Amino acid sequence: MSSHYPDWNQLHAFLATVETGSLSAAARQLDLTQPTVGRQVAALEQDLGVLLFERVGRSLSLTSAGRELFESARSMSEAASRLSLIASGQSQAVEGLVRITASDIVAAYTLPPILKRLHEVAPGIEVDVVAANDVRDLMRREADIAIRHVSPEQPDLIARRCRGTTAHLYGATSYLNAHGRPAGAADLADDDFIGYSAADGLVADLNARGVPVTRRNFRWTTGSVVTAWQMIRQGLGIGVMFREVAEGADGVEPVLPELAPFDVPIWLVVRRELHTSRRIRLVFDLLAETLG
């Protein structure tokens, strides 16, 4: 790649093309003509001396160089938009309601410190947190921003994969004192477990880790992760919980910490209006920065 710095308009055209999926959609978003966007992307390729897109039929597919540039350009774009907000003090003037939907455990444990920081940056923004474990529909405007554990299917949504977390087995000290601390996975065969309403997946995941449980071990089930956590803390049985929630909680211990952790992906999802609504953009950027 050449050493001189690429043109910001060309980078904008490239970012918009990747995020919207086509030159025509990028042109609409940037309020330019399609040939103009095409020329800017072509000029960027020429400046950098690399191919950014492969043309597959009528669609565009990113090359590995394109993927690398996209990550860098997106970080630069976010930093620039944050800087411009801070520099002009606009964040103080941004106001209105933003509705965020997240699972009840994320709403209860992860969001509050982020919302506190948001209030310091933009006190005029009000937030309605929809704590729901079912996937709320952004397309039907049930929320502006969603924090999800699965990637969305709809093409009209912008999804950002965040750092994610892991979940592990935990039990209350009171429960483990009464039932004994397992030395290995086989020792859990007769324990009581706390599961989620669709616990079959959890049975299979535990079996794959050598834990010989069946549906019968799941004496307690709930659709609420917050409720499951309180059941674990009260000593009703052993359960799977996010590491950040369980670490440091009084009266709770990890069970068989050597077991392979459960991966919990985190996706930040927003409608395309992100680009036109300053308040949604500000909240999205803060969440993206904090959730990493």
Side-chain angles (χ1 to χ4, degrees):
M1 288 196 182
S2 63
S3 58
H4 80 279
Y5 200 71
D7 179 282
W8 189 237
N9 291 328
Q10 294 171 4
L11 278 175
H12 257 315
F14 167 69
L15 270 176
T17 305
V18 178
E19 286 176 346
T20 61
S22 73
L23 291 169
S24 54
R28 281 195 301 275
Q29 184 185 295
L30 296 170
D31 204 17
L32 297 169
T33 65
Q34 185 176 333
T36 302
V37 175
R39 276 196 301 275
Q40 287 179 337
V41 171
L44 183 62
E45 288 183 319
Q46 199 173 347
D47 278 1
L48 297 174
V50 294
L51 194 65
L52 298 173
F53 292 107
E54 284 163 331
R55 277 78 179 166
V56 185
R58 298 185 108 186
S59 63
L60 296 172
S61 166
L62 274 177
T63 62
S64 58
R67 277 195 298 276
E68 208 175 306
L69 180 68
F70 176 61
E71 291 304 322
S72 306
R74 190 167 63 181
S75 302
M76 284 163 58
S77 171
E78 281 165 5
S81 67
R82 276 198 299 275
L83 274 173
S84 67
L85 276 173
I86 293 162
S88 61
Q90 281 180 314
S91 52
Q92 297 296 321
V94 178
E95 51 189 37
L97 179 68
V98 176
R99 189 169 278 116
I100 303 172
T101 180
S103 62
D104 63 352
I105 198 82
V106 168
Y109 287 86
T110 309
L111 273 180
I114 301 176
L115 298 181
K116 192 174 177 191
R117 191 167 158 220
L118 172 68
H119 184 67
E120 289 161 9
V121 175
I125 291 181
E126 300 157 33
V127 176
D128 178 29
V129 176
V130 184
N133 293 313
D134 58 328
V135 174
R136 291 298 160 116
D137 194 345
L138 296 187
M139 304 311 291
R140 288 206 303 267
R141 304 188 69 92
E142 289 173 38
D144 298 304
I145 298 171
I147 301 168
R148 292 182 179 169
H149 302 301
V150 289
S151 170
E153 309 276 303
Q154 299 99 318
D156 285 343
L157 299 177
I158 296 169
R160 166 77 50 84
R161 180 145 195 183
C162 298
R163 192 170 51 233
T165 183
T166 55
H168 305 258
L169 283 179
Y170 294 93
T173 300
S174 59
Y175 175 88
L176 296 168
N177 284 345
H179 293 78
R181 285 165 180 77
D187 296 344
L188 293 170
D190 297 321
D191 276 287
D192 293 329
F193 276 77
I194 289 136
Y196 301 97
S197 298
D200 290 324
L202 193 49
V203 170
D205 284 344
L206 286 165
N207 291 166
R209 289 164 173 76
V211 180
V213 289
T214 67
R215 283 285 299 177
R216 284 194 299 280
N217 291 85
F218 286 81
R219 175 168 290 197
W220 323 100
T221 57
T222 173
S224 159
V225 187
V226 168
T227 303
W229 177 228
Q230 293 308 323
M231 289 175 170
I232 295 169
R233 297 187 73 178
Q234 291 297 324
L236 293 181
I238 291 168
V240 173
M241 187 45 59
F242 296 176
R243 180 175 53 79
E244 285 91 340
V245 173
E247 270 182 1
D250 290 338
V252 177
E253 303 173 22
V255 174
L256 296 181
E258 66 275 13
L259 279 187
F262 299 81
D263 284 321
V264 184
I266 293 178
W267 292 85
L268 197 52
V269 189
V270 67
R271 290 196 310 273
R272 295 217 171 271
E273 283 151 63
L274 166 71
H275 295 291
T276 52
S277 166
R278 280 172 56 229
R279 69 176 186 279
I280 295 176
R281 176 91 225 191
L282 192 141
V283 175
F284 183 86
D285 281 348
L286 187 71
L287 285 166
E289 189 186 328
T290 317
L291 296 171

